[in-house]
Amino acid sequence: MRLKRILASAAIMAMATNAFGAGVQAQTPPRQDPVEVEIDQGVLRPLQIAVVNFAGQNGSDLSGVIRADLRRSGYFEPLDPNSFVETGLTLANAPNFPQWTSIGAQAVLYGSVTPRPDGRNDFGFRLYDPYRQCQLVAYRFTATPEQWRRIGHKIADLVYQRMTGEAGLFDSRVLFVSESGTQLNRVSRLTISDQDGFNPEYLTEGDEVIMSPRFSLNDPNEITYVALGKDYSRIYLYNLQTRRRESLGEFDGQVLAPRFSNDGTKMAFSIIRGGNTDVYVMDLSSRQVRRLTTDPGIDTSPSFSPDNSQIVFTSDRSGSARLYVMRADGSGQRAISRGGGLYTAPNWSPRGDLIAFTKQGGGRFSTGVMSPDGSGERSLSSSYFEEGPSWAPNGRYLMFARQNQSGDTRLWTVDLSGRVVSQSGYTGRGSSPAWSPLLDQQPTNLGGGGADACST
């Protein structure tokens, strides 16, 4: 019964169930209507940005991707292109600034798609501040024509970075368990899509129950997950590039909740054995396994700190599910959560400053964060049922699964302020989301220099 309580949310979810040269699948849009963002606490004044349709092949659609990414972040409000006074902007010229300030544009983005002799395209753009009348960013990507959607995400990342001072998050993917069928005959499949829900792809056939998918933060092509069959539970490693699947071996007991160390060299997970559940860690090169916890309580859901020196996990050794932190060798185990309710699904931020979690209490589930020492706990989202927060690569957003009373489960995101809550772009049923790291490192030289550049 204790294991059922501590893993209730995960069990309900599961059982109810790089470069530019890489090929691109058919663009299958999961959503055609405008992105809706709910701002449910306080007042947020998003920055008014004019995203002009790019000239050239797929230029209008590319601009649409940028607008949707920026709008979903909650910190930008793209202006209606029908309100634009100036038309025909080219990369050779600066905007007519008064014509943009007259419609309230606080930033102007425009660009073009230009074919190259080698069959690729140049995607160039400029970002201006029309009030200070200076250039913020100028950059050019080169990619195959089919990569236009991903280029849109990369441009949105640079705009987000320049305007907020934070790293971007849009050039990333999401791994999750998609669900189909009825309540009594539900099929779960491991699925991957772009972070906005486009280009969904099934990685498993639906003949196994899939749980706990996770990315390696060291390599966005490496993932892990648990597959449950009729008489087995296995942890798999799967390479998204080679499509090679490899089992970590057979274990005496049921395996749960695998997660990579942040350098990709180890895997932490739990094993249910002899009526007890403990945390183990495996060295992936030698496949040697070490037991980290020995308490009679249920210890599960381990997550490494960014420097791999500590692990946060869930345990009910005190009588109810709480969050604990220990050193990576299992020593120094101590409770950090202090409030009432049941704490599950801890996830250490890639920035190292926060731990996300799911909390059950008062007849509701909430997604929250706290400092690694347990201080500063706060709730970001609350509903009938939600579970499994996963960090965006910049550590500023969380994706989680939210279920309504009819059993319909969808993917949602929330920012760290708790004010910007939106449903993910993927429109199907899904649970157990895992957000990838950025697929490429962002450029460091954004081309903002020159006589017309903004000083800050």
Side-chain angles (χ1 to χ4, degrees):
M1 289 299 293
R2 290 186 299 128
L3 180 62
K4 183 176 180 180
R5 288 197 305 270
I6 202 168
L7 294 176
S9 51
I12 291 170
M13 292 288 194
M15 300 304 295
T17 31
N18 56 14
F20 290 136
V24 176
Q25 296 180 351
Q27 308 296 327
T28 306
R31 181 191 295 274
Q32 296 295 333
D33 52 318
V35 177
E36 294 186 1
V37 174
E38 171 190 351
I39 301 175
D40 63 358
Q41 299 179 31
V43 177
L44 183 68
R45 301 179 68 86
L47 185 144
Q48 306 290 300
I49 184 170
V51 181
V52 180
N53 284 339
F54 279 42
Q57 184 181 9
N58 294 315
S60 177
D61 293 331
L62 182 150
S63 300
V65 169
I66 298 170
R67 292 188 195 103
D69 280 347
L70 297 178
R71 179 179 291 112
R72 189 179 291 108
S73 76
Y75 294 96
F76 297 87
E77 181 55 46
L79 297 172
D80 183 352
N82 291 324
S83 68
F84 299 169
V85 178
E86 183 177 22
T87 59
L89 275 171
T90 70
L91 292 177
N93 300 302
N96 184 323
F97 299 118
Q99 294 192 4
W100 295 100
T101 57
S102 69
I103 62 171
Q106 295 169 278
V108 182
L109 175 71
Y110 60 99
S112 64
V113 183
T114 307
R116 293 166 56 102
D118 62 5
R120 297 182 297 168
N121 285 339
D122 284 336
F123 299 81
F125 73 94
R126 293 181 184 273
L127 178 69
Y128 273 86
D129 181 332
Y131 285 91
R132 290 190 290 167
Q133 300 189 5
C134 55
Q135 180 177 283
L136 294 163
V137 178
Y139 202 80
R140 182 182 67 193
F141 292 102
T142 299
T144 61
E146 295 79 15
Q147 290 279 7
W148 64 267
R149 175 171 284 280
R150 186 173 170 204
I151 295 299
H153 295 317
K154 294 179 79 66
I155 293 173
D157 274 335
L158 293 186
V159 173
Y160 181 93
Q161 176 183 334
R162 185 63 178 86
M163 302 305 296
T164 69
E166 301 283 349
L169 67 151
F170 305 116
D171 183 30
S172 59
R173 292 186 287 184
V174 176
L175 193 66
F176 57 97
V177 179
S178 63
E179 303 170 355
S180 60
T182 65
Q183 291 276 9
L184 299 178
N185 186 25
R186 184 163 293 183
V187 176
S188 68
R189 289 186 287 185
L190 183 64
T191 307
I192 191 168
S193 74
D194 297 345
Q195 56 78 26
D196 60 353
F198 280 72
N199 298 322
E201 178 186 1
Y202 299 121
L203 303 178
T204 59
E205 299 297 325
D207 53 349
E208 299 171 309
V209 174
I210 304 300
M211 300 176 64
S212 305
R214 296 289 183 264
F215 278 97
S216 167
L217 299 185
N218 187 58
D219 182 352
N221 284 311
E222 289 288 340
I223 65 172
T224 186
Y225 63 95
V226 171
L228 302 181
K230 290 183 179 180
D231 56 357
Y232 65 86
S233 68
R234 295 184 184 134
I235 298 175
Y236 284 108
L237 296 178
Y238 187 96
N239 187 284
L240 296 169
Q241 195 169 40
T242 64
R243 301 307 168 110
R244 181 175 184 268
R245 187 173 87 157
E246 176 186 6
S247 171
L248 285 187
E250 298 298 325
F251 298 90
D252 179 19
Q254 181 175 334
V255 291
L256 296 169
R259 194 184 294 270
F260 289 96
S261 61
N262 290 283
D263 60 6
T265 63
K266 296 179 177 64
M267 181 80 71
F269 53 91
S270 292
I271 302 178
I272 307 173
R273 179 181 293 161
N276 196 32
T277 305
D278 282 299
V279 175
Y280 295 74
V281 66
M282 173 186 281
D283 184 286
L284 292 176
S285 60
S286 67
R287 298 301 168 93
Q288 294 296 308
V289 177
R290 180 180 179 183
R291 184 176 178 178
L292 298 185
T293 65
T294 57
D295 192 274
I298 296 168
D299 302 330
T300 189
S301 301
S303 174
F304 286 89
S305 62
D307 65 1
N308 302 305
S309 66
Q310 300 181 81
I311 295 174
V312 62
F313 63 101
T314 297
S315 177
D316 72 343
R317 62 185 64 181
S318 67
S320 63
R322 300 174 67 188
L323 299 189
Y324 286 73
V325 167
M326 61 181 167
R327 299 185 187 96
D329 62 1
S331 64
Q333 299 177 23
R334 67 191 190 280
I336 60 169
S337 57
R338 303 164 184 168
L342 302 178
Y343 293 82
T344 58
N347 192 341
W348 215 306
S349 165
R351 299 160 64 105
D353 57 339
L354 294 170
I355 293 172
F357 56 87
T358 300
K359 184 176 181 179
Q360 180 185 3
R364 293 175 69 81
F365 288 75
S366 60
T367 297
V369 293
M370 66 173 67
S371 297
D373 63 0
S375 64
E377 178 181 333
R378 54 196 172 94
S379 175
L380 304 179
S381 171
S382 179
S383 64
Y384 167 75
F385 182 91
E386 53 190 58
E387 219 281 330
S390 178
W391 290 97
N394 67 357
R396 303 299 301 178
Y397 297 81
L398 288 161
M399 184 175 290
F400 58 95
R402 177 182 283 184
Q403 185 183 89
N404 61 25
Q405 290 179 305
S406 66
D408 188 53
T409 306
R410 307 285 171 158
L411 303 181
W412 286 71
T413 61
V414 62
D415 79 323
L416 279 185
S417 73
R419 298 178 299 179
V420 182
V421 186
S422 64
Q423 187 173 328
S424 163
Y426 180 75
T427 57
R429 306 204 310 261
S431 62
S432 300
W435 213 320
S436 81
L438 286 177
L439 302 182
D440 282 331
Q441 292 296 316
Q442 290 180 265
T444 55
N445 181 4
L446 300 183
D452 61 339
C454 295
S455 58
T456 59

